[in-house]
Amino acid sequence: MKSAANNFNYEIGYKMNRYEDGTFGYEYVQGLPNSGSLDGLTVNSPIDGLIHSHNLGTDMLSIFSLSDIFALGAMVQENLINNIENFVFGVVTSEGTYLLSISDPITFSNLSSGLEILRSIYINYVKPDNSALQNEIGLLQFLNTSNLGLSLYKGNLSNFNSWDRVRKNNQGTNIVNLNCN
């Protein structure tokens, strides 16, 4: 997926389902060229995870887009998540790999109220021309300001086997990793 984020002009993704033996099955999904979304994605039965890439388009973000967060909210509201505590929702970009965790399902399930307000808050913090660090800090500020009940994790780029929950430092100028492995 990292190759897709660095080279493709379309998004790719995988819907994930956990089998009884604990292994996962993956269903590939591909968006249209230059669309900036997974146009072909349909989720009509509960899943255990979804991960996708952002492509190299000029307006693509180095982190989760608001549309990504709204898509996650729609899956929660439509009961399309098997186990909310173990659900994996990820994005791979040219700048990093991130997961969102639903840390407060009740708060997050109220996402549909005030979508336009959320949009106006989000665009103050996360922008295509920001650096990856600015967008990480911006997304964390958005999550805190909006009180959505989501937590942000960043993957280790060398092996993707370790993830750290991230938060802003006290000055709001950098990211602090909270080891969680």
Side-chain angles (χ1 to χ4, degrees):
M1 291 200 62
K2 189 69 169 171
S3 177
N6 287 322
N7 298 299
F8 296 173
N9 68 347
Y10 53 88
E11 292 188 4
I12 66 167
Y14 292 91
K15 292 191 297 187
M16 299 177 274
N17 278 305
R18 184 184 306 262
Y19 299 124
E20 286 184 21
D21 66 1
T23 61
F24 280 90
Y26 302 91
E27 181 183 336
Y28 177 81
V29 181
Q30 179 178 317
L32 297 173
N34 303 311
S35 73
S37 69
L38 281 176
D39 302 312
L41 176 67
T42 56
V43 179
N44 46 24
S45 62
I47 59 175
D48 293 296
L50 176 65
I51 190 163
H52 73 288
S53 67
H54 282 181
N55 61 38
L56 289 177
T58 57
D59 62 343
M60 295 304 294
L61 294 169
S62 58
I63 199 135
F64 287 99
S65 68
L66 189 58
S67 295
D68 294 334
I69 295 169
F70 287 171
L72 178 59
M75 286 188 285
V76 169
Q77 291 172 344
E78 296 169 21
N79 294 317
L80 294 173
I81 294 177
N82 278 324
N83 182 339
I84 207 160
E85 286 87 27
N86 294 322
F87 189 76
V88 175
F89 188 71
V91 67
V92 178
T93 74
S94 60
E95 301 293 331
T97 301
Y98 304 93
L99 296 177
L100 279 177
S101 168
I102 302 170
S103 50
D104 185 341
I106 294 168
T107 299
F108 187 65
S109 67
N110 295 323
L111 177 69
S112 63
S113 60
L115 294 180
E116 286 309 310
I117 293 169
L118 289 175
R119 189 176 319 282
S120 66
I121 295 169
Y122 182 87
I123 62 174
N124 287 319
Y125 296 117
V126 180
K127 299 177 173 122
D129 56 343
N130 282 355
S131 70
L133 177 60
Q134 287 171 316
N135 278 339
E136 287 176 8
I137 292 169
L139 182 63
L140 288 166
Q141 184 65 37
F142 169 74
L143 295 176
N144 289 338
T145 301
S146 304
N147 190 28
L148 293 179
L150 295 173
S151 299
L152 181 65
Y153 294 81
K154 186 172 183 178
N156 178 320
L157 291 177
S158 63
N159 62 21
F160 299 108
N161 288 330
S162 64
W163 296 88
D164 290 314
R165 184 172 176 187
V166 293
R167 68 169 178 82
K168 297 180 305 176
N169 65 4
N170 290 337
Q171 297 78 26
T173 58
N174 211 341
I175 297 297
V176 176
N177 293 332
L178 307 170
N179 248 338
C180 63
N181 291 337

